[in-house]
């Protein structure tokens, strides 16, 4: 099956638990259609470069999936119809990169910095 990566932006007024439950919900949609979520990451609330639907911030989530094309199309269709999801980006990749995504690596590097005086 082909590999895909998805980045989803949800509304800023959701709680963290609600944003993470969206990821689980769409993972269940994939599972019902013969696919699977290989890995998912919740990136947290981030400020966007421009407003989307009058929102300046959004909950970002990242999914690595292994699913047939019809399952991906169904998941994207349901994401577009869902009121809490503002944007979705899906990319087909040859293989999934090992380890955490670049966004999560940046967060780990920030923890290793030396303290300021």
């Amino acid at each position: 099956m082909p590999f895909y990566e998805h980045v989803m932006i949800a509304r800023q007024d959701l709680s963290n638990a609600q944003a993470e439950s969206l990821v689980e919900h769409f993972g269940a949609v994939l599972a019902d259609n013969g696919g699977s979520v290989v890995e998912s990451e919740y990136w947290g609330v981030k400020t966007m470069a421009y407003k989307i639907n009058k929102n300046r911030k959004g909950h970002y989530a990242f999914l690595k999936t292994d699913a047939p094309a019809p399952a991906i199309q169904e998941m994207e269709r349901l994401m577009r119809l869902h009121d809490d999801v503002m944007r979705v980006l899906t990319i087909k990749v040859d293989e999934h990169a090992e380890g955490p995504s670049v966004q999560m690596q940046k967060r780990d590097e920030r923890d290793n910095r030396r303290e300021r005086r």
Side-chain angles (χ1 to χ4, degrees):
M1 278 192 265
F3 299 116
Y4 295 92
E5 293 181 352
H6 314 273
V7 176
M8 175 182 71
I9 306 173
R11 290 184 308 127
Q12 67 184 0
D13 55 346
L14 298 176
S15 68
N16 291 350
Q18 288 173 321
E20 290 177 3
S21 70
L22 279 176
V23 173
E24 294 172 7
H25 169 71
F26 292 120
V29 169
L30 277 181
D32 292 344
N33 291 303
S36 65
V37 175
V38 176
E39 184 180 344
S40 67
E41 295 176 355
Y42 173 68
W43 290 347
V45 178
K46 296 191 174 287
T47 303
M48 296 182 277
Y50 55 90
K51 288 183 180 181
I52 300 174
N53 300 338
K54 300 181 183 177
N55 290 305
R56 273 277 182 212
K57 295 183 179 186
H59 290 273
Y60 282 71
F62 177 69
L63 297 163
K64 292 180 182 178
T65 60
D66 181 11
I72 298 297
Q73 290 172 349
E74 177 65 13
M75 183 184 76
E76 285 184 334
R77 184 185 74 81
L78 292 175
M79 283 181 169
R80 283 193 305 270
L81 293 174
H82 204 284
D83 291 336
D84 293 333
V85 178
M86 294 190 301
R87 289 283 191 277
V88 178
L89 175 68
T90 301
I91 299 173
K92 185 175 180 181
V93 294
D94 293 331
E95 61 183 28
H96 291 301
E98 294 295 321
S101 65
V102 175
Q103 288 290 332
M104 297 305 278
Q105 289 173 2
K106 286 183 182 179
R107 185 174 293 167
D108 293 340
E109 289 173 7
R110 277 189 234 130
D111 295 338
N112 295 335
R113 289 189 198 169
R114 62 183 173 90
E115 293 183 24
R116 294 185 180 183
R117 297 181 195 190

